[in-house]
Short mmCIF file of all heavy atoms in Angstrom, two decimals:
data_model
loop_
_atom_site.label_atom_id
_atom_site.label_comp_id
_atom_site.label_asym_id
_atom_site.label_seq_id
_atom_site.Cartn_x
_atom_site.Cartn_y
_atom_site.Cartn_z
N ALA A 1 1.43 5.61 2.81
CA ALA A 1 0.14 5.15 2.27
C ALA A 1 0.19 3.68 1.89
O ALA A 1 -0.72 2.91 2.22
CB ALA A 1 -0.26 6.01 1.07
N ARG A 2 1.25 3.27 1.18
CA ARG A 2 1.35 1.87 0.76
C ARG A 2 1.42 0.93 1.95
O ARG A 2 0.81 -0.14 1.95
CB ARG A 2 2.56 1.68 -0.15
CG ARG A 2 2.65 0.28 -0.75
CD ARG A 2 3.86 0.12 -1.63
NE ARG A 2 5.10 0.18 -0.87
CZ ARG A 2 6.32 0.05 -1.40
NH1 ARG A 2 6.44 -0.09 -2.71
NH2 ARG A 2 7.40 0.11 -0.65
N GLU A 3 2.17 1.31 2.97
CA GLU A 3 2.30 0.47 4.16
C GLU A 3 0.98 0.37 4.92
O GLU A 3 0.67 -0.69 5.47
CB GLU A 3 3.40 1.04 5.06
CG GLU A 3 4.80 0.89 4.47
CD GLU A 3 5.84 1.74 5.19
OE1 GLU A 3 5.45 2.72 5.86
OE2 GLU A 3 7.02 1.43 5.05
N ASN A 4 0.21 1.45 4.96
CA ASN A 4 -1.11 1.41 5.59
C ASN A 4 -2.02 0.43 4.87
O ASN A 4 -2.75 -0.34 5.51
CB ASN A 4 -1.73 2.80 5.60
CG ASN A 4 -1.47 3.57 6.88
OD1 ASN A 4 -2.07 3.30 7.92
ND2 ASN A 4 -0.55 4.52 6.82
N VAL A 5 -1.99 0.46 3.54
CA VAL A 5 -2.84 -0.44 2.76
C VAL A 5 -2.38 -1.88 2.91
O VAL A 5 -3.21 -2.81 2.94
CB VAL A 5 -2.84 0.00 1.28
CG1 VAL A 5 -3.60 -1.02 0.42
CG2 VAL A 5 -3.46 1.39 1.13
N ALA A 6 -1.08 -2.09 3.04
CA ALA A 6 -0.53 -3.45 3.11
C ALA A 6 -0.78 -4.11 4.46
O ALA A 6 -0.70 -5.35 4.56
CB ALA A 6 0.97 -3.42 2.83
N LEU A 7 -1.10 -3.32 5.49
CA LEU A 7 -1.23 -3.90 6.83
C LEU A 7 -2.28 -5.01 6.92
O LEU A 7 -1.98 -6.10 7.42
CB LEU A 7 -1.51 -2.79 7.84
CG LEU A 7 -1.53 -3.22 9.31
CD1 LEU A 7 -0.22 -3.86 9.70
CD2 LEU A 7 -1.83 -2.03 10.21
N PRO A 8 -3.54 -4.80 6.47
CA PRO A 8 -4.50 -5.91 6.56
C PRO A 8 -4.12 -7.09 5.67
O PRO A 8 -4.49 -8.24 5.96
CB PRO A 8 -5.83 -5.28 6.10
CG PRO A 8 -5.44 -4.06 5.36
CD PRO A 8 -4.17 -3.57 5.97
N LEU A 9 -3.36 -6.83 4.60
CA LEU A 9 -2.88 -7.94 3.78
C LEU A 9 -1.91 -8.81 4.58
O LEU A 9 -1.93 -10.04 4.49
CB LEU A 9 -2.18 -7.40 2.53
CG LEU A 9 -3.07 -6.62 1.55
CD1 LEU A 9 -2.22 -5.96 0.47
CD2 LEU A 9 -4.10 -7.54 0.92
N ARG A 10 -1.07 -8.16 5.36
CA ARG A 10 -0.16 -8.90 6.22
C ARG A 10 -0.93 -9.72 7.24
O ARG A 10 -0.61 -10.90 7.49
CB ARG A 10 0.78 -7.93 6.93
CG ARG A 10 1.81 -8.61 7.82
CD ARG A 10 2.74 -7.58 8.44
NE ARG A 10 3.74 -8.20 9.30
CZ ARG A 10 4.66 -7.53 9.96
NH1 ARG A 10 4.72 -6.21 9.86
NH2 ARG A 10 5.53 -8.18 10.71
N LEU A 11 -1.97 -9.12 7.85
CA LEU A 11 -2.77 -9.84 8.84
C LEU A 11 -3.51 -11.02 8.22
O LEU A 11 -3.83 -11.99 8.91
CB LEU A 11 -3.77 -8.87 9.49
CG LEU A 11 -3.16 -7.75 10.32
CD1 LEU A 11 -4.24 -6.77 10.78
CD2 LEU A 11 -2.40 -8.31 11.52
N ASN A 12 -3.78 -10.93 6.91
CA ASN A 12 -4.46 -12.02 6.21
C ASN A 12 -3.50 -13.05 5.65
O ASN A 12 -3.92 -13.98 4.95
CB ASN A 12 -5.33 -11.45 5.08
CG ASN A 12 -6.72 -11.09 5.55
OD1 ASN A 12 -7.53 -11.97 5.85
ND2 ASN A 12 -7.01 -9.80 5.62
N GLY A 13 -2.21 -12.89 5.93
CA GLY A 13 -1.25 -13.92 5.56
C GLY A 13 -0.64 -13.80 4.18
O GLY A 13 0.03 -14.73 3.72
N PHE A 14 -0.82 -12.68 3.49
CA PHE A 14 -0.22 -12.50 2.17
C PHE A 14 1.29 -12.32 2.30
O PHE A 14 1.77 -11.63 3.21
CB PHE A 14 -0.82 -11.28 1.46
CG PHE A 14 -2.23 -11.47 0.99
CD1 PHE A 14 -3.29 -11.14 1.81
CD2 PHE A 14 -2.49 -11.98 -0.28
CE1 PHE A 14 -4.60 -11.31 1.38
CE2 PHE A 14 -3.79 -12.15 -0.72
CZ PHE A 14 -4.84 -11.82 0.12
N ARG A 15 2.05 -12.90 1.37
CA ARG A 15 3.50 -12.74 1.37
C ARG A 15 3.87 -11.30 0.97
O ARG A 15 3.08 -10.59 0.35
CB ARG A 15 4.14 -13.74 0.41
CG ARG A 15 3.96 -15.18 0.86
CD ARG A 15 4.69 -16.13 -0.08
NE ARG A 15 4.53 -17.51 0.36
CZ ARG A 15 5.32 -18.10 1.24
NH1 ARG A 15 6.33 -17.43 1.78
NH2 ARG A 15 5.13 -19.37 1.58
N ARG A 16 5.09 -10.91 1.29
CA ARG A 16 5.52 -9.52 1.12
C ARG A 16 5.35 -9.03 -0.31
O ARG A 16 4.83 -7.94 -0.54
CB ARG A 16 6.98 -9.36 1.57
CG ARG A 16 7.46 -7.91 1.48
CD ARG A 16 8.87 -7.75 2.04
NE ARG A 16 9.27 -6.36 2.03
CZ ARG A 16 9.77 -5.74 0.97
NH1 ARG A 16 9.96 -6.42 -0.16
NH2 ARG A 16 10.13 -4.47 1.04
N GLN A 17 5.79 -9.81 -1.28
CA GLN A 17 5.71 -9.36 -2.67
C GLN A 17 4.26 -9.16 -3.11
O GLN A 17 3.94 -8.22 -3.83
CB GLN A 17 6.41 -10.35 -3.61
CG GLN A 17 7.93 -10.27 -3.57
CD GLN A 17 8.43 -8.87 -3.92
OE1 GLN A 17 8.99 -8.17 -3.06
NE2 GLN A 17 8.20 -8.44 -5.14
N GLU A 18 3.38 -10.06 -2.66
CA GLU A 18 1.97 -9.93 -3.01
C GLU A 18 1.35 -8.74 -2.29
O GLU A 18 0.49 -8.04 -2.85
CB GLU A 18 1.22 -11.21 -2.67
CG GLU A 18 -0.26 -11.20 -3.01
CD GLU A 18 -0.56 -11.10 -4.50
OE1 GLU A 18 0.39 -11.14 -5.32
OE2 GLU A 18 -1.75 -10.97 -4.85
N ARG A 19 1.78 -8.47 -1.05
CA ARG A 19 1.28 -7.29 -0.33
C ARG A 19 1.65 -6.01 -1.08
O ARG A 19 0.83 -5.11 -1.24
CB ARG A 19 1.86 -7.25 1.09
CG ARG A 19 1.44 -8.37 1.99
CD ARG A 19 1.63 -8.04 3.46
NE ARG A 19 2.98 -7.67 3.82
CZ ARG A 19 3.90 -8.51 4.30
NH1 ARG A 19 3.60 -9.81 4.42
NH2 ARG A 19 5.09 -8.09 4.67
N LEU A 20 2.89 -5.94 -1.54
CA LEU A 20 3.35 -4.77 -2.28
C LEU A 20 2.58 -4.62 -3.59
O LEU A 20 2.15 -3.53 -3.97
CB LEU A 20 4.85 -4.86 -2.54
CG LEU A 20 5.77 -4.79 -1.32
CD1 LEU A 20 7.23 -4.97 -1.73
CD2 LEU A 20 5.59 -3.45 -0.59
N ARG A 21 2.42 -5.74 -4.30
CA ARG A 21 1.73 -5.69 -5.59
C ARG A 21 0.30 -5.22 -5.44
O ARG A 21 -0.16 -4.33 -6.17
CB ARG A 21 1.76 -7.08 -6.26
CG ARG A 21 1.18 -7.08 -7.68
CD ARG A 21 0.93 -8.49 -8.17
NE ARG A 21 -0.19 -9.13 -7.48
CZ ARG A 21 -1.47 -8.86 -7.75
NH1 ARG A 21 -1.82 -7.96 -8.65
NH2 ARG A 21 -2.42 -9.50 -7.08
N ARG A 22 -0.41 -5.81 -4.48
CA ARG A 22 -1.81 -5.45 -4.29
C ARG A 22 -1.98 -4.01 -3.81
O ARG A 22 -2.86 -3.29 -4.29
CB ARG A 22 -2.47 -6.41 -3.29
CG ARG A 22 -2.84 -7.76 -3.86
CD ARG A 22 -3.45 -8.64 -2.79
NE ARG A 22 -3.91 -9.90 -3.33
CZ ARG A 22 -5.18 -10.27 -3.43
NH1 ARG A 22 -6.13 -9.45 -3.04
NH2 ARG A 22 -5.52 -11.43 -3.91
N SER A 23 -1.16 -3.60 -2.85
CA SER A 23 -1.31 -2.25 -2.32
C SER A 23 -0.99 -1.20 -3.37
O SER A 23 -1.70 -0.19 -3.48
CB SER A 23 -0.45 -2.06 -1.07
OG SER A 23 0.90 -2.35 -1.32
N GLU A 24 0.04 -1.44 -4.16
CA GLU A 24 0.37 -0.49 -5.23
C GLU A 24 -0.71 -0.46 -6.30
O GLU A 24 -1.06 0.61 -6.81
CB GLU A 24 1.72 -0.86 -5.84
CG GLU A 24 2.89 -0.60 -4.90
CD GLU A 24 4.22 -0.98 -5.51
OE1 GLU A 24 4.25 -1.35 -6.71
OE2 GLU A 24 5.25 -0.89 -4.80
N ALA A 25 -1.27 -1.62 -6.62
CA ALA A 25 -2.29 -1.68 -7.67
C ALA A 25 -3.55 -0.94 -7.25
O ALA A 25 -4.11 -0.16 -8.05
CB ALA A 25 -2.62 -3.15 -7.98
N VAL A 26 -4.01 -1.14 -6.03
CA VAL A 26 -5.26 -0.50 -5.61
C VAL A 26 -5.07 1.00 -5.40
O VAL A 26 -5.96 1.81 -5.73
CB VAL A 26 -5.86 -1.19 -4.36
CG1 VAL A 26 -5.04 -0.91 -3.12
CG2 VAL A 26 -7.31 -0.78 -4.16
N LEU A 27 -3.90 1.43 -4.92
CA LEU A 27 -3.64 2.86 -4.79
C LEU A 27 -3.56 3.52 -6.16
O LEU A 27 -4.06 4.64 -6.35
CB LEU A 27 -2.34 3.09 -4.01
CG LEU A 27 -2.43 2.87 -2.50
CD1 LEU A 27 -1.04 2.81 -1.87
CD2 LEU A 27 -3.27 3.96 -1.84
N SER A 28 -2.97 2.85 -7.12
CA SER A 28 -2.92 3.39 -8.49
C SER A 28 -4.32 3.51 -9.07
O SER A 28 -4.66 4.51 -9.72
CB SER A 28 -2.06 2.49 -9.38
OG SER A 28 -0.72 2.47 -8.94
N GLU A 29 -5.15 2.50 -8.82
CA GLU A 29 -6.53 2.52 -9.32
C GLU A 29 -7.32 3.70 -8.75
O GLU A 29 -8.18 4.26 -9.42
CB GLU A 29 -7.22 1.21 -8.95
CG GLU A 29 -8.64 1.10 -9.47
CD GLU A 29 -9.33 -0.18 -9.02
OE1 GLU A 29 -8.67 -1.01 -8.37
OE2 GLU A 29 -10.52 -0.34 -9.34
N LEU A 30 -6.99 4.10 -7.53
CA LEU A 30 -7.69 5.19 -6.88
C LEU A 30 -6.99 6.54 -7.08
O LEU A 30 -7.29 7.52 -6.39
CB LEU A 30 -7.85 4.91 -5.39
CG LEU A 30 -8.72 3.70 -5.04
CD1 LEU A 30 -8.78 3.49 -3.53
CD2 LEU A 30 -10.12 3.85 -5.61
N GLY A 31 -6.06 6.58 -8.03
CA GLY A 31 -5.41 7.84 -8.38
C GLY A 31 -4.34 8.30 -7.42
O GLY A 31 -4.03 9.49 -7.35
N LEU A 32 -3.73 7.37 -6.69
CA LEU A 32 -2.75 7.74 -5.67
C LEU A 32 -1.36 7.15 -5.94
O LEU A 32 -0.54 7.03 -5.02
CB LEU A 32 -3.24 7.28 -4.29
CG LEU A 32 -4.48 7.99 -3.76
CD1 LEU A 32 -5.02 7.27 -2.53
CD2 LEU A 32 -4.17 9.44 -3.42
N LYS A 33 -1.08 6.81 -7.19
CA LYS A 33 0.20 6.19 -7.52
C LYS A 33 1.37 7.06 -7.11
O LYS A 33 2.37 6.57 -6.57
CB LYS A 33 0.27 5.91 -9.02
CG LYS A 33 1.54 5.20 -9.45
CD LYS A 33 1.51 4.85 -10.93
CE LYS A 33 2.79 4.10 -11.32
NZ LYS A 33 2.76 3.71 -12.77
N SER A 34 1.25 8.38 -7.31
CA SER A 34 2.35 9.28 -6.99
C SER A 34 2.40 9.66 -5.52
O SER A 34 3.32 10.37 -5.08
CB SER A 34 2.24 10.56 -7.83
OG SER A 34 1.07 11.28 -7.49
N ARG A 35 1.41 9.20 -4.73
CA ARG A 35 1.33 9.58 -3.31
C ARG A 35 1.56 8.41 -2.36
O ARG A 35 1.52 8.58 -1.15
CB ARG A 35 -0.07 10.16 -3.03
CG ARG A 35 -0.57 11.17 -4.04
CD ARG A 35 0.22 12.44 -4.01
NE ARG A 35 -0.18 13.31 -2.90
CZ ARG A 35 0.48 14.42 -2.58
NH1 ARG A 35 1.55 14.80 -3.25
NH2 ARG A 35 0.05 15.15 -1.57
N MET A 36 1.85 7.23 -2.90
CA MET A 36 1.87 6.03 -2.06
C MET A 36 3.03 6.01 -1.06
O MET A 36 2.98 5.28 -0.07
CB MET A 36 1.87 4.77 -2.92
CG MET A 36 3.09 4.56 -3.77
SD MET A 36 3.00 2.97 -4.68
CE MET A 36 1.60 3.26 -5.76
N HIS A 37 4.08 6.82 -1.29
CA HIS A 37 5.20 6.83 -0.36
C HIS A 37 5.10 7.94 0.67
O HIS A 37 6.01 8.13 1.48
CB HIS A 37 6.50 6.94 -1.14
CG HIS A 37 6.75 5.78 -2.06
ND1 HIS A 37 6.97 4.50 -1.60
CD2 HIS A 37 6.76 5.70 -3.42
CE1 HIS A 37 7.13 3.67 -2.62
NE2 HIS A 37 7.01 4.37 -3.74
N LEU A 38 3.99 8.68 0.65
CA LEU A 38 3.79 9.75 1.61
C LEU A 38 3.07 9.26 2.85
O LEU A 38 2.25 8.34 2.79
CB LEU A 38 2.98 10.89 0.96
CG LEU A 38 3.60 11.55 -0.27
CD1 LEU A 38 2.69 12.67 -0.76
CD2 LEU A 38 5.00 12.07 0.02
N LYS A 39 3.36 9.88 3.97
CA LYS A 39 2.69 9.55 5.22
C LYS A 39 1.41 10.38 5.36
O LYS A 39 1.24 11.39 4.67
CB LYS A 39 3.64 9.78 6.40
CG LYS A 39 4.80 8.80 6.39
CD LYS A 39 5.69 8.94 7.61
CE LYS A 39 6.79 7.88 7.59
NZ LYS A 39 7.70 7.97 8.76
N PRO A 40 0.49 9.94 6.21
CA PRO A 40 -0.81 10.62 6.32
C PRO A 40 -0.72 12.13 6.51
O PRO A 40 -1.53 12.88 5.95
CB PRO A 40 -1.46 9.94 7.53
CG PRO A 40 -0.91 8.55 7.47
CD PRO A 40 0.52 8.71 7.03
N LYS A 41 0.26 12.62 7.28
CA LYS A 41 0.35 14.07 7.52
C LYS A 41 0.67 14.84 6.25
O LYS A 41 0.48 16.07 6.19
CB LYS A 41 1.39 14.36 8.59
CG LYS A 41 2.82 14.04 8.21
CD LYS A 41 3.78 14.36 9.35
CE LYS A 41 5.23 14.04 8.96
NZ LYS A 41 6.16 14.34 10.07
N GLU A 42 1.15 14.15 5.22
CA GLU A 42 1.50 14.79 3.95
C GLU A 42 0.37 14.69 2.93
O GLU A 42 0.51 15.17 1.81
CB GLU A 42 2.76 14.15 3.38
CG GLU A 42 3.97 14.23 4.30
CD GLU A 42 5.14 13.41 3.79
OE1 GLU A 42 5.08 12.16 3.90
OE2 GLU A 42 6.10 14.02 3.29
N LEU A 43 -0.75 14.07 3.31
CA LEU A 43 -1.88 13.86 2.40
C LEU A 43 -3.04 14.78 2.75
O LEU A 43 -3.23 15.15 3.91
CB LEU A 43 -2.34 12.41 2.47
CG LEU A 43 -1.32 11.33 2.12
CD1 LEU A 43 -1.88 9.94 2.42
CD2 LEU A 43 -0.89 11.43 0.66
N SER A 44 -3.84 15.12 1.75
CA SER A 44 -5.06 15.90 1.99
C SER A 44 -6.13 14.99 2.58
O SER A 44 -5.99 13.76 2.60
CB SER A 44 -5.57 16.50 0.68
OG SER A 44 -6.05 15.47 -0.18
N GLY A 45 -7.23 15.59 3.05
CA GLY A 45 -8.33 14.79 3.60
C GLY A 45 -8.89 13.81 2.59
O GLY A 45 -9.16 12.65 2.91
#
């Protein structure tokens, strides 16, 4: 999940640490902090 969120950040030129910070922050905000290391097949709809 975190890597999926970080992908457009990479395309927009964000450095790695900022990509990680932003992706983790927005996933946490949406209630997915404990799910960010799971792949799509492990997530509900």
Side-chain angles (χ1 to χ4, degrees):
R2 186 180 67 179
E3 291 166 339
N4 266 284
V5 174
L7 186 58
L9 296 171
R10 182 178 180 180
L11 295 174
N12 272 290
F14 288 90
R15 294 183 179 274
R16 183 175 184 276
Q17 284 302 113
E18 181 65 6
R19 295 200 304 265
L20 294 177
R21 186 193 70 78
R22 282 179 175 249
S23 56
E24 290 180 5
V26 71
L27 285 167
S28 296
E29 183 183 356
L30 296 179
L32 293 169
K33 183 176 182 178
S34 65
R35 314 292 281 172
M36 66 177 65
H37 297 294
L38 300 181
K39 293 185 176 179
K41 66 181 180 180
E42 302 172 285
L43 301 173
S44 69

